[in-house]
Each structure stands twice: as C-alpha cells, then as structure tokens.
Amino acid sequence: MDDKYKNNFLKKTQLFSTLTDKEMDQIINVMILKQFKKNETILYEEDTNEFMYIILLGKVKVVRTTEEGKEIILAMHKSGSFFGEMSLIDGKTMPASVIATEDSLIAIIAKKDFFSIIFLQNKVTRNLLQILCSRLRRCWDTIQLLNFNNASQRTKMLFLMLIDEYGEKTPEGTVLKIKLTHQDISDMTGQT
C-alpha cells in the first residue's frame, strides 16, 4: 500500500483527521501495516503492550472474560478507530483482549513513536484528549446500563449508546449501521 492510500485511511481516523499532509507523512513513516484474520486475537488481556493500533480496514471487539468464562464485549471498533494507547500512556497491562471480528488491516505504531507524535503534534494531543473523554463518558453510560435490572432496559440503553457511533438518520427514524448477533447484544449488556 503506498503512502497516498495510507494518508487517506489515516485522515478518516479522528486522532489524525486535523493533520496536514506533511504532518501525516511523519506518522506514515513510523507505522507498520499488519493483517489480522477474522477471530484472530490482536492483543491478549494482561499483556504488556508496546504498540498503538489503528484500524485502517475491518472491525475488532474488545472483550473481557469473566471467571466463569463468559465473554463480555466492552467495545466494538471499526475502520478509523484505534486502541492500545491506554497501556502506552499508563504503562500497565492490557485490561481486555482485542479480537478481529472480520479480516482487518491495522497500522501499528511503537511506543517511542507514539510519544514522539504526542509531544510534537499538538493537534493529535488535543484529539486524543477529546477521544479519551468521549470513551470515559461511554463507560459511565455502560455502568448505568449494567445497573438496570431487566433485559429490555439494558437492550434499549445499548441501542441508544450505539446511535452516536453507528446511527444513521432516515425518514423512518434512526438505523444502526452495525451487525450484531443476539450473542453480541447479550455480551454487550451482561446478559445470558
């Protein structure tokens, strides 16, 4: 994949969307591309992570496994999203596993390059802070969702949460542009 295509994919990433082409070239020069097959684990829970991952094509899910072996989906990320930055920032292990839900092309940036970008690109730092705040707010919504006692309330709250990222307004209402199985919905709402 040439730099022009990499640039086009990265421009769709909220983290880098405000950069000029020259600023983007600095990021393209330090990233490595890797393909992951559907159901392949990209990161394992409790691993010490040394990279940030940017989804150029594909989708992943962030999951945590309970002591009973039940998988709980914490987040779903699509093209333009990124993950792995949290353990780069705080130096702790991964709080969850990340698994490709379809064949995915992912750009990988090493820890030292990540910090170089953050320190040299104020726009990226500002975008990162906004994204992290947005993720924190989603966590608060998830806590609220899990405090509901009945399944219909949890499911309704999940759909309301997904509208922000996957909702598309139509004359009939809002359509969620995400494919979820019954199991996915169950895993995202802490139900069986």
Side-chain angles (χ1 to χ4, degrees):
M1 178 181 288
D2 70 19
D3 287 354
K4 180 182 175 188
Y5 287 109
K6 292 176 189 175
N7 188 327
N8 289 339
F9 282 117
L10 286 178
K11 280 279 190 193
K12 295 176 186 170
T13 304
Q14 185 182 355
L15 186 61
F16 305 119
S17 63
T18 56
L19 297 181
T20 65
D21 287 344
K22 186 176 179 179
E23 293 167 331
M24 195 71 79
D25 287 342
Q26 296 170 337
I27 294 165
I28 289 170
N29 289 334
V30 298
M31 66 185 211
I32 299 164
L33 296 183
K34 185 165 182 193
Q35 291 192 306
F36 291 90
K37 297 285 184 197
K38 181 179 180 177
N39 297 323
E40 185 176 353
T41 300
I42 301 165
L43 288 173
Y44 290 91
E45 188 173 338
E46 300 302 321
D47 274 356
T48 302
N49 184 28
E50 293 294 320
F51 301 97
M52 177 183 138
Y53 301 80
I54 305 159
I55 306 166
L56 301 181
L57 290 170
K59 294 179 185 166
V60 303
K61 63 181 177 179
V62 181
V63 299
R64 195 146 198 197
T65 306
T66 66
E67 289 179 10
E68 297 82 31
K70 180 172 176 23
E71 186 178 273
I72 298 172
I73 298 176
L74 302 177
M76 304 278 283
H77 295 302
K78 60 183 177 177
S79 298
S81 298
F82 62 92
F83 57 92
E85 78 292 338
M86 192 166 68
S87 60
L88 293 184
I89 294 169
D90 69 10
K92 297 185 180 180
T93 59
M94 287 298 298
S97 295
V98 181
I99 301 165
T101 57
E102 60 184 49
D103 290 350
S104 300
L105 178 63
I106 299 190
I108 301 170
I109 297 177
K111 184 177 188 173
K112 69 176 179 56
D113 295 319
F114 171 77
F115 280 108
S116 180
I117 292 165
I118 296 299
F119 293 135
L120 296 174
Q121 300 285 350
N122 290 335
K123 294 179 211 173
V124 174
T125 305
R126 192 174 318 112
N127 291 343
L128 179 63
L129 290 172
Q130 289 176 339
I131 293 164
L132 293 176
C133 287
S134 174
R135 288 181 180 179
L136 180 58
R137 290 180 188 281
R138 268 197 307 269
C139 287
W140 292 340
D141 288 341
T142 302
I143 290 168
Q144 181 182 355
L145 176 148
L146 293 173
N147 282 318
F148 287 131
N149 288 328
N150 75 45
S152 64
Q153 286 178 314
R154 285 187 180 194
T155 304
K156 180 180 177 183
M157 181 70 180
L158 172 66
F159 290 148
L160 290 173
M161 289 168 54
L162 292 173
I163 285 174
D164 288 337
E165 190 170 350
Y166 298 100
E168 183 179 293
K169 297 237 184 255
T170 68
E172 294 81 31
T174 302
V175 174
L176 287 178
K177 293 292 196 172
I178 182 174
K179 291 183 181 183
L180 296 172
T181 65
H182 288 92
Q183 188 63 52
D184 290 336
I185 295 168
S186 172
D187 292 344
M188 293 171 89
T189 57
Q191 302 178 91
T192 54

